[in-house]
Amino acid sequence: MSTQTLVEGAAAPSGAHAFLDVRDLRIHFPTDDGLVKAVDGLTFSLEKGRTLGIVGESGSGKSVTSLGILGLHKGTKARISGEIWLGGDELVAASKEQVRQLRGDRMAMIFQDPLSALHPYYTVGYQIAEAYRVHNDVTKKAAKARAIEMLDRVGIPTPDKRVDDYPHQFSGGMRQRAMIAMALSCNPELLIADEPTTALDVTVQAQILELMTDLQKEFGSAIILITHDLGVVAEVADDILVMYAGRGAEYAPVNEIFYRPEHPYTFGLLSSVTRMDRIRQDRLNPIKGAPPSLINVPSGCAFHPRCPYEPLTGGLGSTVRPELTPTTGRPDHLVSCHLSPAERQRLFTEEVAPHL
Amino acid sequence: MGRYIARRSLWVVALLFIISIVTFGIFYILPADPAALSAGKTSSTEEIELIRTKLGLDKPIYVQYGTFVKGIFVGRTIGENECGAPCLGYSFKNEQPVFETILDRLPVTFSIAVGAAVLWLLMGVTVGIISALKKGTFVDRAAMTGALAGVSLPLIFTGYVILLVLVYKLKIFPQPRYNDFTDNPLKWAQGLILPWIALAFINSALYARLVRANMLETMAEDYVRTARAKGLPERTVIRRHGLRAALTPIVTIFGLDIGQLLGGAVLTEQVFSIQGMGKLALTSIFNTDLPVIVGVTVFAAFFVVVANLVVDVLYAVVDPRVRYS
């Protein structure tokens, strides 16, 4: 990797490619009801050792994006365009077989519900060893030893015994640890975690997040953390991409998102978070309305029907689609909004921040 | 595992006991008079009464049942006829102990069931898998249309069509009949191939639809997505992760179907005039041959119950979640 790409930082890719570089990714699904534009022009990048949090409501395209990076839409009816660069290889145009060989080896994934994501008929150890053996030409014995080593690494007690257990004999947190062990068995450079803590007890959630960051420090992998929980990304992410209707709404370093957000949708997400360190307010402030249909995406800015500040755009909001552009003074803070940066900053400090 | 099997086996014995009581009771309540039936049409009332006393049919039902059960274990004498253990009664129509009649017929039905089962399992599972993997394509539609026809057409139709076309018109196959397997395996297969095909046609259609539905369901499971995310080749994903789970319910249904079939492939045996358990059951019903009906019923029940036990044990072997609960 050249020093140039390292210097460039995560949020501002230009000519040279970052370790993971997604450019204008579009994933559309033709259905009987029409074309579902699950992801529609998404651009982001990620360096090794860094964590990107992708945040958004259900149906904003988070999971479709991650499955798209893994190439799991290949061979289905999905129409994919754009570019996905992983360590110098382009994946959208690559063959199904090429991507399969990368999958599980250079890039791996952790899923939301570890019980349904593990096969009920095979032992945990077998499933981890299987992941290792696909990409490494080793004996069954060596693969099992690797499985035990990985289980130990993710903090499963007496791994040499638990390796022969079935998933239903594990607790929820242990299952997710096993999933992580499986994903990390080939030392992937990119780890995608799709809501890894959603199905877990709150007490276990923190342990799993801590484990992921520890392992990241050790292996130096890049992590994409997909979640709808801002609390989770606040702890572990370096950068945050807020997604809305298959596009990036705001993309910035974590502190910018939490302390100087500029997109009205991000305002809404922050206002929806329950806070225990503040005096209880009358009520929570949910974002009004529901996520838009991905078949008939609203014209102009997809968020405009729900945006309280839409009248301030002078009609632009409902007619012209805004692009993700840097705000004034912060080239790494990208916002897709028609309001002027000064206006957005004023709205946040005057109207949103006092209620957070 | 051993305890589990032992516990289930005890249940099998208890269940068979209950079935025998119910069957025995039903036939006792029926208006048919076994004494009159054994005596023959021309007998006088006195002769019938004599036979009734001789056969112990004048005793209360529980005494008769007791004798019946005792006969199963130690044998007994019915009239002048010796009926060795296990004695399920004596048929005056066939002039033979019921158990011997059943023993004669059992290999016939067994041959039909096993041959057909192999055929339909192979065809049904293969077609089901291909259909599921090629969902929505021409292949899938053609297979499912064929399966629909297979499910809809009754055996008495397909069976006779097969006989008419392949045996009588085209003369490709000989008239179906049972030949002993140990004498000549080739002749055995040749004689039974048509009943196998007829029986397998219906069942493979059912299995194809079932396998297809199960396969579609499991291939959409999260663990299949995990298998793909590991980078496993698609063939391995299908075989090891999809098929394994999709076929588990098939084991259950297959076991039960076989169990039921061993009690008599009634329609198949009737259509192809093969003297198996099913044909025996039919004939004995037409002739009101009560001892045979009771014997065949208890035997058929035995197969179904044992098949159930085997299925449960197999299930525990296949699915680890069942094993420990």
Side-chain angles (χ1 to χ4, degrees):
Chain A
M1 193 182 302
S2 69
T3 42
Q4 198 197 348
T5 42
L6 277 173
V7 172
E8 269 174 2
S14 57
H17 294 296
F19 168 65
L20 174 71
D21 204 348
V22 175
R23 293 186 177 184
D24 197 30
L25 181 67
R26 284 165 210 270
I27 303 177
H28 296 175
F29 300 95
T31 67
D32 291 341
D33 299 324
L35 191 65
V36 177
K37 296 177 177 172
V39 179
D40 199 28
L42 188 66
T43 300
F44 64 87
S45 61
L46 179 62
E47 291 297 351
K48 279 198 191 174
R50 310 266 296 175
T51 301
L52 171 72
I54 300 185
V55 185
E57 288 164 298
S58 313
S60 59
K62 302 173 304 218
S63 297
V64 174
T65 304
S66 58
L67 295 178
I69 295 172
L70 283 183
L72 289 175
H73 294 305
K74 280 184 190 288
T76 68
K77 284 182 197 155
R79 293 179 197 157
I80 310 164
S81 68
E83 295 166 29
I84 299 169
W85 293 88
L86 181 82
D89 297 322
E90 206 288 309
L91 305 184
V92 173
S95 77
K96 209 174 159 180
E97 178 60 19
Q98 282 170 319
V99 181
R100 178 188 75 72
Q101 288 182 1
L102 295 178
R103 196 158 60 217
D105 191 20
R106 294 189 65 191
M107 51 183 180
M109 186 151 177
I110 303 169
F111 294 101
Q112 182 178 136
D113 180 359
L115 181 58
S116 60
L118 287 165
H119 202 297
Y121 293 177
Y122 297 103
T123 62
V124 171
Y126 176 85
Q127 296 185 56
I128 298 172
E130 187 183 37
Y132 187 60
R133 289 190 72 201
V134 196
H135 304 288
N136 297 277
D137 192 15
V138 293
T139 60
K140 278 188 179 174
K141 220 178 142 190
K144 189 174 178 183
R146 174 72 175 171
I148 295 172
E149 180 197 334
M150 290 311 297
L151 283 175
D152 187 35
R153 190 62 202 83
V154 297
I156 303 278
T158 57
D160 51 327
K161 290 197 183 67
R162 301 311 295 258
V163 72
D164 292 323
D165 276 1
Y166 289 92
H168 69 271
Q169 293 167 286
F170 271 35
S171 69
M174 282 165 72
R175 277 181 215 131
Q176 195 57 290
R177 283 169 193 269
M179 278 301 292
I180 294 174
M182 189 192 294
L184 294 182
S185 62
C186 297
N187 289 335
E189 296 160 291
L190 172 66
L191 180 65
I192 304 176
D194 188 355
E195 312 222 7
T197 58
T198 308
L200 304 176
D201 284 349
V202 190
T203 45
V204 183
Q205 285 184 5
Q207 296 172 10
I208 294 292
L209 288 176
E210 198 184 308
L211 174 68
M212 283 175 54
T213 43
D214 280 356
L215 293 169
Q216 182 181 35
K217 272 181 205 136
E218 191 177 325
F219 296 105
S221 14
I223 294 182
I224 296 180
L225 184 64
I226 295 170
T227 181
H228 56 252
D229 186 347
L230 280 172
V232 168
V233 282
E235 280 180 55
V236 296
D238 299 303
D239 299 298
I240 290 179
L241 171 64
V242 178
M243 279 188 76
Y244 192 81
R247 291 173 66 84
E250 186 163 8
Y251 181 24
V254 64
N255 284 339
E256 286 285 305
I257 290 286
F258 279 93
Y259 300 110
R260 284 176 293 280
E262 294 199 11
H263 197 286
Y265 178 60
T266 315
F267 298 169
L269 286 180
L270 290 169
S271 306
S272 307
V273 176
T274 46
R275 295 280 297 256
M276 297 216 237
D277 56 341
R278 299 284 169 89
I279 299 161
R280 201 156 98 178
Q281 294 168 1
D282 293 344
R283 52 180 65 227
L284 290 169
N285 280 315
I287 305 171
K288 62 173 187 180
S293 147
L294 293 173
I295 295 174
N296 294 308
V297 183
S299 61
C301 172
F303 186 60
H304 88 261
R306 300 169 74 186
C307 180
Y309 312 114
E310 196 264 330
L312 302 178
T313 62
L316 273 180
S318 58
T319 50
V320 181
R321 189 155 83 170
E323 293 300 324
L324 206 52
T325 43
T327 186
T328 39
R330 292 284 319 210
D332 60 349
H333 188 157
L334 308 176
V335 187
S336 133
C337 184
H338 288 300
L339 300 171
S340 71
E343 183 85 21
R344 298 188 301 238
Q345 284 155 13
R346 183 189 65 81
L347 285 170
F348 179 71
T349 40
E350 287 178 12
E351 297 196 14
V352 182
H355 301 289
L356 287 180
Chain B
M1 199 67 176
R3 275 178 61 106
Y4 176 73
I5 296 176
R7 206 172 59 222
R8 292 301 315 254
S9 303
L10 272 181
W11 255 112
V12 167
V13 174
L15 206 56
L16 283 176
F17 188 63
I18 294 166
I19 290 168
S20 70
I21 291 178
V22 172
T23 319
F24 202 83
I26 287 173
F27 290 116
Y28 188 81
I29 296 162
L30 279 182
D33 181 356
L37 288 166
S38 328
K41 280 192 180 113
T42 51
S43 311
S44 64
T45 326
E46 289 78 27
E47 281 170 325
I48 292 173
E49 283 314 311
L50 201 69
I51 288 169
R52 195 186 304 283
T53 326
K54 211 167 148 189
L55 297 182
L57 294 171
D58 52 342
K59 305 251 171 60
I61 183 167
Y62 57 87
V63 176
Q64 288 188 43
Y65 179 73
T67 321
F68 174 76
V69 174
K70 194 181 158 202
I72 294 177
F73 294 102
V74 297
R76 60 182 168 133
T77 312
I78 299 167
E80 294 95 43
N81 304 293
E82 203 52 49
C83 176
C87 176
L88 289 173
Y90 187 89
S91 164
F92 291 95
K93 283 264 161 36
N94 304 334
E95 296 181 330
Q96 202 180 22
V98 172
F99 187 72
E100 277 178 34
T101 318
I102 290 176
L103 270 195
D104 284 347
R105 305 298 188 90
L106 211 52
V108 181
T109 295
F110 189 79
S111 300
I112 294 178
V114 169
V118 170
L119 264 187
W120 92 57
L121 208 55
L122 280 177
M123 278 168 49
V125 172
T126 315
V127 171
I129 293 170
I130 294 173
S131 240
L133 297 179
K134 305 260 175 207
K135 189 192 165 207
T137 61
F138 174 75
V139 178
D140 175 33
R141 268 165 226 200
M144 282 307 111
T145 311
L148 187 65
V151 176
S152 326
L153 297 175
L155 201 135
I156 46 169
F157 174 79
T158 45
Y160 282 124
V161 168
I162 286 173
L163 269 183
L164 181 71
V165 176
L166 297 180
V167 177
Y168 299 115
K169 292 282 180 204
L170 301 177
K171 298 189 167 58
I172 299 173
F173 289 98
Q175 172 75 36
R177 60 176 308 235
Y178 176 74
N179 300 297
D180 202 276
F181 177 79
T182 46
D183 287 351
N184 185 344
L186 198 72
K187 250 182 127 183
W188 170 79
Q190 201 183 31
L192 292 175
I193 184 77
L194 293 184
W196 287 346
I197 291 174
L199 194 54
F201 184 55
I202 284 192
N203 279 315
S204 54
L206 273 170
Y207 278 59
R209 287 157 64 99
L210 212 67
V211 169
R212 179 180 181 271
N214 279 335
M215 195 66 190
L216 285 178
E217 205 179 301
T218 46
M219 287 309 283
E221 290 280 357
D222 284 358
Y223 51 73
V224 169
R225 189 184 57 188
T226 307
R228 290 205 175 104
K230 287 180 194 177
L232 289 173
E234 190 63 17
R235 284 177 72 100
T236 315
V237 173
I238 292 169
R239 213 163 22 84
R240 210 182 282 162
H241 293 262
L243 202 55
R244 168 91 194 265
L247 287 188
T248 312
I250 307 294
V251 171
T252 312
I253 293 159
F254 181 68
L256 297 184
D257 279 349
I258 281 282
Q260 204 181 16
L261 214 49
L262 287 177
V266 181
L267 284 176
T268 316
E269 289 170 19
Q270 178 65 22
V271 168
F272 293 98
S273 315
I274 293 172
Q275 303 294 324
M277 290 273 284
K279 187 94 169 151
L280 178 65
L282 271 186
T283 320
S284 58
I285 289 168
F286 290 144
N287 294 337
T288 336
D289 195 349
L290 293 184
V292 178
I293 300 178
V294 174
V296 170
T297 310
V298 171
F299 239 84
F302 172 76
F303 284 125
V304 171
V305 173
V306 168
N308 251 308
L309 173 69
V310 172
V311 162
D312 283 349
V313 172
L314 266 185
Y315 219 101
V317 172
V318 176
D319 188 342
R321 286 171 299 183
V322 180
R323 222 173 292 162
Y324 296 87
S325 53

